[in-house]
Amino acid sequence: MKRLIRIWKSKAFIVIALVIVLVFLNNTTYFAKPLGGEPLLLAHRGMAQTFTMEGTQNDTCTAERIYEPEYPYLENTIASMEAAFEAGADIVEFDVHITKDDQFAVFHDWTLDCRTNATGVTRDYTMEQLKQLDIGYGYTADGGKTHPFRGKGVGQMPSLTEVLEHFPAQSLLIDVKSNDPEEGRLLAQYLSQLPEQRRSDLAVYGGDEPIAALKEELPDMRVMSKATLKKCLIPYLAVGWTGYVPSACSHTEVHIPEKLAPFLWGWPDKFLDRMAKADNRVVIVGGDGSEFSSGFDTVEDLKRLPEGYSGVIWTNRIDRIAPRYNR
């Protein structure tokens, strides 16, 4: 009996060892052929004024803590998006809010109080009224002593229609800032009027409820929310070691914090290859996911990326990052 137990333990050990070896070989990138190609660059809010991240919360007025301006662009404007594409961006991200007359205003903050000379929320105003505001009103780099963009932002808040007409073929990422499902349905109705080919150049992310509502109306739309991210990555963490990619990962987008990325099976090359085959766009963002708008904003930041990384890079300073890739 003891001999049988020893034999059984020996066989069990061999089986376990073989499984470990197979899992390693199936997910290691040591022997994987690099995917090749340059990464795609995603310009967050176009060419925007940046600010210190220290102590920043969702309700922090970031316009009051900008760095000394290096260029004249304000986030989420046509000019800032033009500058981002000209600098070498492959994708530009911008934010939308619903208006009183059911249009979509391109603007980041939940309220108008921080950046503009008005108060309240965008849905309190028509799109025409929003265009009368000065979106550069609240910016200051010295604690309010000076306001370098005051008076220069009148008429610069665009509508979603204006953005799509101005950039008819560029790749855009739309951020729905509310968690209102009705906003998702309205956006789906709006986007459904676009040609299918044009919609293929767009992606939408945001709150769970509006994204779920949009996806229900427009199943062909590439979307992302915390819920879709979990549906894709949690099963992948459980079974991805086999090479299996859950169906929830198909034709979607995942934003991966750099500090969590190494825990994904096959990171980076095999993971990126698996997601590419599932038509999943992988965007790497800075930090561990808890930092506000964190991206790869300096050449030093880029050194933290895996060698040969070929996914999408999230940046707040496309002007600094694009030259690294000869854009």
Side-chain angles (χ1 to χ4, degrees):
M1 180 60 71
K2 289 182 178 181
R3 184 167 178 270
L4 288 174
I5 292 174
R6 284 198 300 272
I7 292 173
W8 182 86
K9 286 182 177 180
S10 178
K11 289 183 176 180
F13 175 79
I14 292 172
V15 169
I16 292 171
L18 285 173
V19 169
I20 292 173
V21 170
L22 288 172
V23 169
F24 173 78
L25 292 175
N26 198 38
N27 292 280
T28 183
T29 59
Y30 289 124
F31 311 116
K33 183 179 179 180
L35 297 179
E38 295 286 358
L40 297 178
L41 305 181
L42 187 155
H44 181 218
R45 306 188 205 173
M47 190 91 88
Q49 299 299 317
T50 53
F51 46 85
T52 176
M53 300 284 188
E54 186 177 352
T56 302
Q57 304 296 324
N58 286 333
D59 59 352
T60 299
C61 180
T62 56
E64 295 179 345
R65 50 165 58 197
I66 62 168
Y67 296 117
E68 190 66 29
E70 297 178 43
Y71 40 71
Y73 306 110
L74 296 174
E75 64 179 51
N76 284 315
T77 61
I78 297 291
S80 76
M81 297 178 201
E82 280 184 339
F85 280 122
E86 288 172 3
D90 299 288
I91 308 164
V92 165
E93 185 266 7
F94 61 89
D95 313 284
V96 296
H97 287 281
I98 200 72
T99 67
K100 189 175 182 178
D101 52 344
D102 287 341
Q103 295 191 55
F104 284 96
V106 178
F107 188 72
H108 175 271
D109 297 355
W110 179 248
T111 68
L112 298 165
D113 304 53
C114 170
R115 298 178 197 282
T116 82
N117 54 332
T119 60
V121 296
T122 60
R123 62 179 63 199
D124 293 335
Y125 299 80
T126 65
M127 192 66 236
E128 184 178 355
Q129 289 172 326
L130 290 170
K131 283 193 165 296
Q132 308 309 311
L133 303 183
D134 179 5
I135 64 169
Y137 187 84
Y139 284 83
T140 179
D142 53 15
K145 295 177 183 178
T146 61
H147 294 84
F149 298 107
R150 185 167 289 184
K152 300 177 181 179
V154 178
Q156 286 202 47
M157 188 190 300
S159 66
L160 176 58
T161 298
E162 289 175 297
V163 171
L164 294 182
E165 288 179 350
H166 197 87
F167 303 101
Q170 286 87 340
S171 185
L172 302 167
L173 175 60
I174 303 169
D175 183 5
V176 180
K177 300 304 293 184
S178 82
N179 200 32
D180 182 358
E182 182 59 23
E183 203 158 318
R185 282 187 283 271
L186 286 172
L187 183 57
Q189 291 170 16
Y190 177 90
L191 296 176
S192 68
Q193 301 173 48
L194 301 176
E196 184 177 344
Q197 177 58 45
R198 181 60 183 125
R199 287 203 304 274
S200 69
D201 296 324
L202 308 177
V204 184
Y205 77 118
D208 291 344
E209 293 190 34
I211 293 303
L214 184 148
K215 188 68 172 178
E216 185 176 353
E217 299 281 339
L218 273 181
D220 68 331
M221 201 71 209
R222 186 186 301 277
V223 302
M224 194 202 79
S225 66
K226 286 184 179 179
T228 66
L229 196 63
K230 290 177 181 177
K231 285 180 181 178
C232 169
L233 293 184
I234 290 177
Y236 183 80
L237 287 170
V239 299
W241 58 271
T242 65
Y244 172 74
V245 177
S247 60
C249 296
S250 298
H251 189 60
T252 187
E253 179 161 310
V254 290
H255 294 183
I256 309 293
E258 61 172 307
K259 292 184 179 179
L260 302 183
F263 297 99
L264 296 169
W265 296 109
W267 178 262
D269 294 332
K270 289 192 174 182
F271 176 81
L272 290 172
D273 182 55
R274 291 166 185 169
M275 293 297 147
K277 289 176 180 176
D279 190 26
N280 186 319
R281 188 162 70 184
V282 177
V283 181
I284 191 164
V285 299
D288 60 4
S290 63
E291 298 174 8
F292 186 83
S293 303
S294 182
F296 294 83
D297 301 338
T298 67
V299 174
E300 284 298 311
D301 290 342
L302 294 176
K303 294 178 181 179
R304 304 197 306 267
L305 290 171
E307 185 176 357
Y309 173 79
S310 58
V312 182
I313 299 173
W314 179 286
T315 181
N316 297 293
R317 289 298 302 261
I318 186 66
D319 57 312
R320 292 175 178 172
I321 301 305
R324 166 65 178 76
Y325 297 99
N326 299 316
R327 303 290 181 85

